[in-house]
PDB file of all heavy atoms in Angstrom:
ATOM      1  N   LYS A 250       4.090  21.754  42.764  1.00  0.00           N
ATOM      2  CA  LYS A 250       5.489  21.404  42.544  1.00  0.00           C
ATOM      3  C   LYS A 250       5.942  21.878  41.173  1.00  0.00           C
ATOM      4  O   LYS A 250       7.019  22.437  41.001  1.00  0.00           O
ATOM      5  CB  LYS A 250       5.673  19.891  42.646  1.00  0.00           C
ATOM      6  CG  LYS A 250       5.591  19.394  44.062  1.00  0.00           C
ATOM      7  CD  LYS A 250       5.728  17.878  44.139  1.00  0.00           C
ATOM      8  CE  LYS A 250       5.404  17.410  45.549  1.00  0.00           C
ATOM      9  NZ  LYS A 250       5.371  15.964  45.672  1.00  0.00           N
ATOM     10  N   TYR A 254       8.776  24.856  40.244  1.00  0.00           N
ATOM     11  CA  TYR A 254       9.856  24.542  39.330  1.00  0.00           C
ATOM     12  C   TYR A 254       9.888  25.535  38.174  1.00  0.00           C
ATOM     13  O   TYR A 254      10.934  26.061  37.800  1.00  0.00           O
ATOM     14  CB  TYR A 254       9.689  23.110  38.800  1.00  0.00           C
ATOM     15  CG  TYR A 254      10.537  22.850  37.605  1.00  0.00           C
ATOM     16  CD1 TYR A 254      11.901  22.683  37.727  1.00  0.00           C
ATOM     17  CD2 TYR A 254       9.982  22.842  36.328  1.00  0.00           C
ATOM     18  CE1 TYR A 254      12.706  22.507  36.627  1.00  0.00           C
ATOM     19  CE2 TYR A 254      10.778  22.659  35.225  1.00  0.00           C
ATOM     20  CZ  TYR A 254      12.146  22.486  35.377  1.00  0.00           C
ATOM     21  OH  TYR A 254      12.927  22.317  34.273  1.00  0.00           O
ATOM     22  N   THR A 259      12.282  33.405  33.778  1.00  0.00           N
ATOM     23  CA  THR A 259      11.584  34.676  33.557  1.00  0.00           C
ATOM     24  C   THR A 259      11.503  34.921  32.055  1.00  0.00           C
ATOM     25  O   THR A 259      12.218  34.317  31.287  1.00  0.00           O
ATOM     26  CB  THR A 259      12.322  35.854  34.200  1.00  0.00           C
ATOM     27  OG1 THR A 259      13.653  35.868  33.683  1.00  0.00           O
ATOM     28  CG2 THR A 259      12.366  35.716  35.700  1.00  0.00           C
ATOM     29  N   SER A 260      10.635  35.802  31.668  1.00  0.00           N
ATOM     30  CA  SER A 260      10.503  36.087  30.248  1.00  0.00           C
ATOM     31  C   SER A 260       9.732  37.378  30.054  1.00  0.00           C
ATOM     32  O   SER A 260       8.989  37.787  30.936  1.00  0.00           O
ATOM     33  CB  SER A 260       9.753  34.944  29.578  1.00  0.00           C
ATOM     34  OG  SER A 260       9.287  35.323  28.317  1.00  0.00           O
ATOM     35  N   GLU A 352      -1.635  -0.469  27.035  1.00  0.00           N
ATOM     36  CA  GLU A 352      -0.718  -1.202  27.909  1.00  0.00           C
ATOM     37  C   GLU A 352       0.714  -0.672  27.846  1.00  0.00           C
ATOM     38  O   GLU A 352       1.508  -0.920  28.737  1.00  0.00           O
ATOM     39  CB  GLU A 352      -0.670  -2.681  27.484  1.00  0.00           C
ATOM     40  CG  GLU A 352      -1.902  -3.461  27.888  1.00  0.00           C
ATOM     41  CD  GLU A 352      -1.766  -4.949  27.601  1.00  0.00           C
ATOM     42  OE1 GLU A 352      -0.664  -5.406  27.247  1.00  0.00           O
ATOM     43  OE2 GLU A 352      -2.783  -5.638  27.735  1.00  0.00           O
ATOM     44  N   ARG A 353       1.031   0.019  26.797  1.00  0.00           N
ATOM     45  CA  ARG A 353       2.434   0.349  26.557  1.00  0.00           C
ATOM     46  C   ARG A 353       2.719   1.840  26.756  1.00  0.00           C
ATOM     47  O   ARG A 353       3.369   2.238  27.686  1.00  0.00           O
ATOM     48  CB  ARG A 353       2.763  -0.084  25.138  1.00  0.00           C
ATOM     49  CG  ARG A 353       4.224  -0.126  24.879  1.00  0.00           C
ATOM     50  CD  ARG A 353       4.497  -0.870  23.585  1.00  0.00           C
ATOM     51  NE  ARG A 353       5.868  -0.602  23.180  1.00  0.00           N
ATOM     52  CZ  ARG A 353       6.577  -1.366  22.388  1.00  0.00           C
ATOM     53  NH1 ARG A 353       6.049  -2.441  21.872  1.00  0.00           N
ATOM     54  NH2 ARG A 353       7.806  -1.047  22.084  1.00  0.00           N
ATOM     55  N   ALA A 385       6.598  16.869  12.789  1.00  0.00           N
ATOM     56  CA  ALA A 385       7.803  16.039  12.851  1.00  0.00           C
ATOM     57  C   ALA A 385       8.591  16.312  14.125  1.00  0.00           C
ATOM     58  O   ALA A 385       9.037  15.390  14.808  1.00  0.00           O
ATOM     59  CB  ALA A 385       8.683  16.293  11.629  1.00  0.00           C
ATOM     60  N   SER A 389       9.274  13.786  18.019  1.00  0.00           N
ATOM     61  CA  SER A 389      10.449  13.486  18.831  1.00  0.00           C
ATOM     62  C   SER A 389      10.221  13.793  20.300  1.00  0.00           C
ATOM     63  O   SER A 389      11.098  13.555  21.120  1.00  0.00           O
ATOM     64  CB  SER A 389      11.672  14.254  18.323  1.00  0.00           C
ATOM     65  OG  SER A 389      12.282  13.550  17.260  1.00  0.00           O
ATOM     66  N   ALA A 396       3.524   3.016  32.807  1.00  0.00           N
ATOM     67  CA  ALA A 396       3.839   2.782  34.222  1.00  0.00           C
ATOM     68  C   ALA A 396       3.704   4.035  35.076  1.00  0.00           C
ATOM     69  O   ALA A 396       3.514   3.955  36.281  1.00  0.00           O
ATOM     70  CB  ALA A 396       5.250   2.213  34.377  1.00  0.00           C
ATOM     71  N   ASN A 397       3.813   5.191  34.465  1.00  0.00           N
ATOM     72  CA  ASN A 397       3.681   6.405  35.260  1.00  0.00           C
ATOM     73  C   ASN A 397       2.239   6.871  35.426  1.00  0.00           C
ATOM     74  O   ASN A 397       1.987   7.853  36.128  1.00  0.00           O
ATOM     75  CB  ASN A 397       4.553   7.529  34.681  1.00  0.00           C
ATOM     76  CG  ASN A 397       5.990   7.434  35.176  1.00  0.00           C
ATOM     77  OD1 ASN A 397       6.242   6.915  36.259  1.00  0.00           O
ATOM     78  ND2 ASN A 397       6.922   7.917  34.378  1.00  0.00           N
ATOM     79  N   GLN A 401       1.965  10.363  40.582  1.00  0.00           N
ATOM     80  CA  GLN A 401       1.910  11.825  40.576  1.00  0.00           C
ATOM     81  C   GLN A 401       2.454  12.407  39.286  1.00  0.00           C
ATOM     82  O   GLN A 401       2.227  13.583  38.969  1.00  0.00           O
ATOM     83  CB  GLN A 401       2.717  12.368  41.760  1.00  0.00           C
ATOM     84  CG  GLN A 401       2.395  13.795  42.113  1.00  0.00           C
ATOM     85  CD  GLN A 401       3.270  14.309  43.242  1.00  0.00           C
ATOM     86  OE1 GLN A 401       4.464  14.044  43.287  1.00  0.00           O
ATOM     87  NE2 GLN A 401       2.672  15.059  44.148  1.00  0.00           N
ATOM     88  N   THR A 402       3.158  11.603  38.524  1.00  0.00           N
ATOM     89  CA  THR A 402       3.745  12.096  37.280  1.00  0.00           C
ATOM     90  C   THR A 402       2.774  12.062  36.105  1.00  0.00           C
ATOM     91  O   THR A 402       2.981  12.727  35.094  1.00  0.00           O
ATOM     92  CB  THR A 402       5.026  11.293  36.972  1.00  0.00           C
ATOM     93  OG1 THR A 402       5.997  11.671  37.946  1.00  0.00           O
ATOM     94  CG2 THR A 402       5.603  11.564  35.611  1.00  0.00           C
ATOM     95  N   HIS A 406       2.079  14.143  31.900  1.00  0.00           N
ATOM     96  CA  HIS A 406       1.965  13.657  30.522  1.00  0.00           C
ATOM     97  C   HIS A 406       1.158  14.631  29.682  1.00  0.00           C
ATOM     98  O   HIS A 406       1.478  14.893  28.526  1.00  0.00           O
ATOM     99  CB  HIS A 406       1.323  12.269  30.494  1.00  0.00           C
ATOM    100  CG  HIS A 406       2.209  11.195  31.049  1.00  0.00           C
ATOM    101  ND1 HIS A 406       1.865   9.858  31.049  1.00  0.00           N
ATOM    102  CD2 HIS A 406       3.438  11.250  31.623  1.00  0.00           C
ATOM    103  CE1 HIS A 406       2.840   9.146  31.603  1.00  0.00           C
ATOM    104  NE2 HIS A 406       3.804   9.958  31.955  1.00  0.00           N
ATOM    105  N   ARG A 412       3.001  21.604  26.324  1.00  0.00           N
ATOM    106  CA  ARG A 412       4.117  22.518  26.148  1.00  0.00           C
ATOM    107  C   ARG A 412       5.041  22.101  25.020  1.00  0.00           C
ATOM    108  O   ARG A 412       5.562  22.942  24.290  1.00  0.00           O
ATOM    109  CB  ARG A 412       4.904  22.686  27.451  1.00  0.00           C
ATOM    110  CG  ARG A 412       5.698  21.474  27.867  1.00  0.00           C
ATOM    111  CD  ARG A 412       6.751  21.858  28.870  1.00  0.00           C
ATOM    112  NE  ARG A 412       7.193  20.713  29.644  1.00  0.00           N
ATOM    113  CZ  ARG A 412       8.285  20.721  30.398  1.00  0.00           C
ATOM    114  NH1 ARG A 412       9.006  21.808  30.504  1.00  0.00           N
ATOM    115  NH2 ARG A 412       8.640  19.644  31.067  1.00  0.00           N
ATOM    116  N   GLU A 416       6.079  24.134  21.707  1.00  0.00           N
ATOM    117  CA  GLU A 416       7.478  24.382  21.370  1.00  0.00           C
ATOM    118  C   GLU A 416       7.794  23.913  19.955  1.00  0.00           C
ATOM    119  O   GLU A 416       8.505  24.594  19.207  1.00  0.00           O
ATOM    120  CB  GLU A 416       8.399  23.678  22.362  1.00  0.00           C
ATOM    121  CG  GLU A 416       9.853  23.974  22.111  1.00  0.00           C
ATOM    122  CD  GLU A 416      10.751  23.430  23.196  1.00  0.00           C
ATOM    123  OE1 GLU A 416      11.058  22.223  23.172  1.00  0.00           O
ATOM    124  OE2 GLU A 416      11.150  24.222  24.062  1.00  0.00           O
ATOM    125  N   ASN A 428      11.679  15.297   9.957  1.00  0.00           N
ATOM    126  CA  ASN A 428      11.418  14.421   8.829  1.00  0.00           C
ATOM    127  C   ASN A 428      10.037  14.730   8.246  1.00  0.00           C
ATOM    128  O   ASN A 428       9.032  14.547   8.921  1.00  0.00           O
ATOM    129  CB  ASN A 428      11.491  12.960   9.283  1.00  0.00           C
ATOM    130  CG  ASN A 428      11.493  12.006   8.122  1.00  0.00           C
ATOM    131  OD1 ASN A 428      10.772  12.217   7.146  1.00  0.00           O
ATOM    132  ND2 ASN A 428      12.299  10.975   8.204  1.00  0.00           N
ATOM    133  N   SER A 436       9.191   4.012  11.123  1.00  0.00           N
ATOM    134  CA  SER A 436      10.232   4.502  12.034  1.00  0.00           C
ATOM    135  C   SER A 436       9.960   5.945  12.437  1.00  0.00           C
ATOM    136  O   SER A 436      10.786   6.573  13.074  1.00  0.00           O
ATOM    137  CB  SER A 436      11.608   4.401  11.375  1.00  0.00           C
ATOM    138  OG  SER A 436      11.631   5.203  10.202  1.00  0.00           O
ATOM    139  N   VAL A 440       6.657   4.178  15.492  1.00  0.00           N
ATOM    140  CA  VAL A 440       7.407   3.501  16.554  1.00  0.00           C
ATOM    141  C   VAL A 440       6.576   3.329  17.820  1.00  0.00           C
ATOM    142  O   VAL A 440       6.907   2.512  18.676  1.00  0.00           O
ATOM    143  CB  VAL A 440       8.733   4.215  16.901  1.00  0.00           C
ATOM    144  CG1 VAL A 440       9.639   4.281  15.693  1.00  0.00           C
ATOM    145  CG2 VAL A 440       8.509   5.580  17.492  1.00  0.00           C
ATOM    146  N   THR A 571     -12.620 -10.848  35.847  1.00  0.00           N
ATOM    147  CA  THR A 571     -12.573 -10.252  34.502  1.00  0.00           C
ATOM    148  C   THR A 571     -13.221 -11.221  33.522  1.00  0.00           C
ATOM    149  O   THR A 571     -12.546 -12.011  32.884  1.00  0.00           O
ATOM    150  CB  THR A 571     -11.124  -9.955  34.080  1.00  0.00           C
ATOM    151  OG1 THR A 571     -10.341 -11.145  34.225  1.00  0.00           O
ATOM    152  CG2 THR A 571     -10.511  -8.864  34.937  1.00  0.00           C
TER     153      THR A 571
ATOM    154  N   VAL B  30      -5.289 -12.201  34.576  1.00  0.00           N
ATOM    155  CA  VAL B  30      -6.433 -12.807  35.239  1.00  0.00           C
ATOM    156  C   VAL B  30      -7.645 -12.788  34.326  1.00  0.00           C
ATOM    157  O   VAL B  30      -8.029 -11.744  33.824  1.00  0.00           O
ATOM    158  CB  VAL B  30      -6.761 -12.020  36.525  1.00  0.00           C
ATOM    159  CG1 VAL B  30      -7.978 -12.612  37.204  1.00  0.00           C
ATOM    160  CG2 VAL B  30      -5.568 -12.049  37.452  1.00  0.00           C
ATOM    161  N   HIS B  34     -11.311 -15.818  40.482  1.00  0.00           N
ATOM    162  CA  HIS B  34     -11.520 -15.097  41.735  1.00  0.00           C
ATOM    163  C   HIS B  34     -10.194 -14.645  42.309  1.00  0.00           C
ATOM    164  O   HIS B  34      -9.204 -15.356  42.266  1.00  0.00           O
ATOM    165  CB  HIS B  34     -12.222 -15.995  42.760  1.00  0.00           C
ATOM    166  CG  HIS B  34     -13.659 -16.220  42.414  1.00  0.00           C
ATOM    167  ND1 HIS B  34     -14.680 -15.602  43.076  1.00  0.00           N
ATOM    168  CD2 HIS B  34     -14.226 -16.987  41.457  1.00  0.00           C
ATOM    169  CE1 HIS B  34     -15.841 -15.989  42.548  1.00  0.00           C
ATOM    170  NE2 HIS B  34     -15.590 -16.830  41.568  1.00  0.00           N
ATOM    171  N   MET B 104      11.973  33.386  23.729  1.00  0.00           N
ATOM    172  CA  MET B 104      10.929  32.901  24.612  1.00  0.00           C
ATOM    173  C   MET B 104      11.189  33.264  26.070  1.00  0.00           C
ATOM    174  O   MET B 104      10.277  33.303  26.871  1.00  0.00           O
ATOM    175  CB  MET B 104      10.811  31.382  24.493  1.00  0.00           C
ATOM    176  CG  MET B 104      10.277  30.916  23.162  1.00  0.00           C
ATOM    177  SD  MET B 104       8.605  31.512  22.891  1.00  0.00           S
ATOM    178  CE  MET B 104       8.873  32.618  21.519  1.00  0.00           C
ATOM    179  N   ALA B 106      13.581  35.565  29.021  1.00  0.00           N
ATOM    180  CA  ALA B 106      14.533  36.638  29.280  1.00  0.00           C
ATOM    181  C   ALA B 106      15.872  36.036  29.660  1.00  0.00           C
ATOM    182  O   ALA B 106      15.935  34.910  30.126  1.00  0.00           O
ATOM    183  CB  ALA B 106      14.019  37.511  30.411  1.00  0.00           C
ATOM    184  N   ASP B 108      18.624  34.868  31.758  1.00  0.00           N
ATOM    185  CA  ASP B 108      18.537  34.591  33.184  1.00  0.00           C
ATOM    186  C   ASP B 108      19.880  34.555  33.871  1.00  0.00           C
ATOM    187  O   ASP B 108      19.953  34.257  35.045  1.00  0.00           O
ATOM    188  CB  ASP B 108      17.807  33.260  33.419  1.00  0.00           C
ATOM    189  CG  ASP B 108      16.306  33.458  33.385  1.00  0.00           C
ATOM    190  OD1 ASP B 108      15.856  34.498  33.885  1.00  0.00           O
ATOM    191  OD2 ASP B 108      15.606  32.589  32.858  1.00  0.00           O
ATOM    192  N   ARG B 202      14.126   1.671  15.570  1.00  0.00           N
ATOM    193  CA  ARG B 202      12.859   2.190  16.074  1.00  0.00           C
ATOM    194  C   ARG B 202      13.048   3.525  16.796  1.00  0.00           C
ATOM    195  O   ARG B 202      12.713   4.562  16.273  1.00  0.00           O
ATOM    196  CB  ARG B 202      12.262   1.123  16.979  1.00  0.00           C
ATOM    197  CG  ARG B 202      10.796   1.230  17.150  1.00  0.00           C
ATOM    198  CD  ARG B 202      10.256  -0.051  17.756  1.00  0.00           C
ATOM    199  NE  ARG B 202       9.015   0.224  18.407  1.00  0.00           N
ATOM    200  CZ  ARG B 202       7.865  -0.408  18.188  1.00  0.00           C
ATOM    201  NH1 ARG B 202       7.825  -1.393  17.337  1.00  0.00           N
ATOM    202  NH2 ARG B 202       6.773  -0.075  18.822  1.00  0.00           N
ATOM    203  N   ALA B 234      12.306   7.775  36.944  1.00  0.00           N
ATOM    204  CA  ALA B 234      10.942   7.493  36.481  1.00  0.00           C
ATOM    205  C   ALA B 234      10.323   8.702  35.797  1.00  0.00           C
ATOM    206  O   ALA B 234       9.625   8.567  34.789  1.00  0.00           O
ATOM    207  CB  ALA B 234      10.082   7.042  37.658  1.00  0.00           C
ATOM    208  N   SER B 238       9.214   9.325  31.395  1.00  0.00           N
ATOM    209  CA  SER B 238       8.051   9.895  30.712  1.00  0.00           C
ATOM    210  C   SER B 238       8.432  10.969  29.722  1.00  0.00           C
ATOM    211  O   SER B 238       7.584  11.539  29.044  1.00  0.00           O
ATOM    212  CB  SER B 238       7.058  10.457  31.735  1.00  0.00           C
ATOM    213  OG  SER B 238       6.181   9.444  32.166  1.00  0.00           O
ATOM    214  N   ALA B 245      13.107   8.161  12.586  1.00  0.00           N
ATOM    215  CA  ALA B 245      12.844   8.922  11.348  1.00  0.00           C
ATOM    216  C   ALA B 245      13.402  10.341  11.409  1.00  0.00           C
ATOM    217  O   ALA B 245      13.656  10.952  10.371  1.00  0.00           O
ATOM    218  CB  ALA B 245      11.347   8.964  11.063  1.00  0.00           C
ATOM    219  N   ASN B 246      13.590  10.865  12.592  1.00  0.00           N
ATOM    220  CA  ASN B 246      14.124  12.228  12.674  1.00  0.00           C
ATOM    221  C   ASN B 246      15.645  12.289  12.694  1.00  0.00           C
ATOM    222  O   ASN B 246      16.216  13.388  12.713  1.00  0.00           O
ATOM    223  CB  ASN B 246      13.540  12.964  13.889  1.00  0.00           C
ATOM    224  CG  ASN B 246      12.202  13.623  13.569  1.00  0.00           C
ATOM    225  OD1 ASN B 246      11.932  13.967  12.424  1.00  0.00           O
ATOM    226  ND2 ASN B 246      11.373  13.793  14.581  1.00  0.00           N
ATOM    227  N   GLN B 250      17.432  17.971  10.593  1.00  0.00           N
ATOM    228  CA  GLN B 250      17.916  19.047  11.442  1.00  0.00           C
ATOM    229  C   GLN B 250      17.432  18.903  12.874  1.00  0.00           C
ATOM    230  O   GLN B 250      17.922  19.550  13.792  1.00  0.00           O
ATOM    231  CB  GLN B 250      17.435  20.386  10.874  1.00  0.00           C
ATOM    232  CG  GLN B 250      18.203  21.579  11.385  1.00  0.00           C
ATOM    233  CD  GLN B 250      17.573  22.876  10.926  1.00  0.00           C
ATOM    234  OE1 GLN B 250      16.361  22.977  10.799  1.00  0.00           O
ATOM    235  NE2 GLN B 250      18.396  23.876  10.678  1.00  0.00           N
ATOM    236  N   HIS B 255      17.635  15.885  19.764  1.00  0.00           N
ATOM    237  CA  HIS B 255      17.473  14.663  20.541  1.00  0.00           C
ATOM    238  C   HIS B 255      18.425  14.665  21.723  1.00  0.00           C
ATOM    239  O   HIS B 255      18.076  14.281  22.838  1.00  0.00           O
ATOM    240  CB  HIS B 255      17.710  13.426  19.663  1.00  0.00           C
ATOM    241  CG  HIS B 255      16.595  13.183  18.694  1.00  0.00           C
ATOM    242  ND1 HIS B 255      16.545  12.084  17.877  1.00  0.00           N
ATOM    243  CD2 HIS B 255      15.465  13.886  18.417  1.00  0.00           C
ATOM    244  CE1 HIS B 255      15.441  12.121  17.134  1.00  0.00           C
ATOM    245  NE2 HIS B 255      14.778  13.209  17.443  1.00  0.00           N
ATOM    246  N   ARG B 261      18.422  18.394  28.772  1.00  0.00           N
ATOM    247  CA  ARG B 261      17.595  19.284  29.572  1.00  0.00           C
ATOM    248  C   ARG B 261      16.476  18.568  30.292  1.00  0.00           C
ATOM    249  O   ARG B 261      16.144  18.920  31.426  1.00  0.00           O
ATOM    250  CB  ARG B 261      17.034  20.424  28.731  1.00  0.00           C
ATOM    251  CG  ARG B 261      15.778  20.091  27.970  1.00  0.00           C
ATOM    252  CD  ARG B 261      15.006  21.342  27.637  1.00  0.00           C
ATOM    253  NE  ARG B 261      14.373  21.238  26.319  1.00  0.00           N
ATOM    254  CZ  ARG B 261      13.491  22.099  25.839  1.00  0.00           C
ATOM    255  NH1 ARG B 261      13.153  23.157  26.521  1.00  0.00           N
ATOM    256  NH2 ARG B 261      12.971  21.933  24.665  1.00  0.00           N
ATOM    257  N   GLU B 265      15.726  18.414  34.218  1.00  0.00           N
ATOM    258  CA  GLU B 265      14.417  18.799  34.728  1.00  0.00           C
ATOM    259  C   GLU B 265      13.839  17.708  35.620  1.00  0.00           C
ATOM    260  O   GLU B 265      13.275  17.993  36.680  1.00  0.00           O
ATOM    261  CB  GLU B 265      13.499  19.062  33.545  1.00  0.00           C
ATOM    262  CG  GLU B 265      12.172  19.615  33.951  1.00  0.00           C
ATOM    263  CD  GLU B 265      11.351  19.963  32.736  1.00  0.00           C
ATOM    264  OE1 GLU B 265      11.458  21.099  32.275  1.00  0.00           O
ATOM    265  OE2 GLU B 265      10.625  19.078  32.275  1.00  0.00           O
ATOM    266  N   GLY B 273      10.247  16.820  45.255  1.00  0.00           N
ATOM    267  CA  GLY B 273       9.309  15.843  45.805  1.00  0.00           C
ATOM    268  C   GLY B 273       8.361  15.203  44.819  1.00  0.00           C
ATOM    269  O   GLY B 273       7.505  14.413  45.207  1.00  0.00           O
ATOM    270  N   GLU B 275       6.823  12.594  42.488  1.00  0.00           N
ATOM    271  CA  GLU B 275       6.994  11.155  42.488  1.00  0.00           C
ATOM    272  C   GLU B 275       6.413  10.532  41.234  1.00  0.00           C
ATOM    273  O   GLU B 275       5.486  11.053  40.628  1.00  0.00           O
ATOM    274  CB  GLU B 275       6.324  10.563  43.733  1.00  0.00           C
ATOM    275  CG  GLU B 275       6.999  11.059  45.007  1.00  0.00           C
ATOM    276  CD  GLU B 275       6.440  10.398  46.250  1.00  0.00           C
ATOM    277  OE1 GLU B 275       5.339   9.834  46.182  1.00  0.00           O
ATOM    278  OE2 GLU B 275       7.120  10.469  47.281  1.00  0.00           O
ATOM    279  N   SER B 277       6.536   6.347  39.025  1.00  0.00           N
ATOM    280  CA  SER B 277       6.434   4.919  39.281  1.00  0.00           C
ATOM    281  C   SER B 277       7.701   4.364  39.930  1.00  0.00           C
ATOM    282  O   SER B 277       8.789   4.537  39.406  1.00  0.00           O
ATOM    283  CB  SER B 277       6.180   4.172  37.968  1.00  0.00           C
ATOM    284  OG  SER B 277       6.346   2.796  38.178  1.00  0.00           O
ATOM    285  N   ALA B 288       3.412  -1.154  30.727  1.00  0.00           N
ATOM    286  CA  ALA B 288       4.784  -0.941  30.291  1.00  0.00           C
ATOM    287  C   ALA B 288       5.441   0.180  31.073  1.00  0.00           C
ATOM    288  O   ALA B 288       4.843   1.216  31.335  1.00  0.00           O
ATOM    289  CB  ALA B 288       4.812  -0.615  28.809  1.00  0.00           C
ATOM    290  N   GLY B 289       6.662  -0.044  31.454  1.00  0.00           N
ATOM    291  CA  GLY B 289       7.476   1.011  32.051  1.00  0.00           C
ATOM    292  C   GLY B 289       8.515   1.398  31.024  1.00  0.00           C
ATOM    293  O   GLY B 289       8.189   1.650  29.862  1.00  0.00           O
ATOM    294  N   ALA B 292       8.740  -0.005  27.465  1.00  0.00           N
ATOM    295  CA  ALA B 292       7.929   0.455  26.342  1.00  0.00           C
ATOM    296  C   ALA B 292       8.800   0.774  25.132  1.00  0.00           C
ATOM    297  O   ALA B 292       8.342   0.705  23.986  1.00  0.00           O
ATOM    298  CB  ALA B 292       7.132   1.701  26.740  1.00  0.00           C
TER     299      ALA B 292
END
Side-chain angles (χ1 to χ4, degrees):
Chain A
K250 287 178 190 174
Y254 165 74
T259 56
S260 164
E352 285 187 9
R353 195 166 165 157
S389 276
N397 276 333
Q401 198 183 41
T402 290
H406 290 184
R412 70 162 159 166
E416 184 172 81
N428 191 320
S436 61
V440 300
T571 53
Chain B
V30 178
H34 288 255
M104 292 297 114
D108 277 322
R202 203 166 157 126
S238 273
N246 274 333
Q250 198 187 34
H255 288 185
R261 84 157 144 170
E265 187 175 270
E275 296 185 342
S277 168

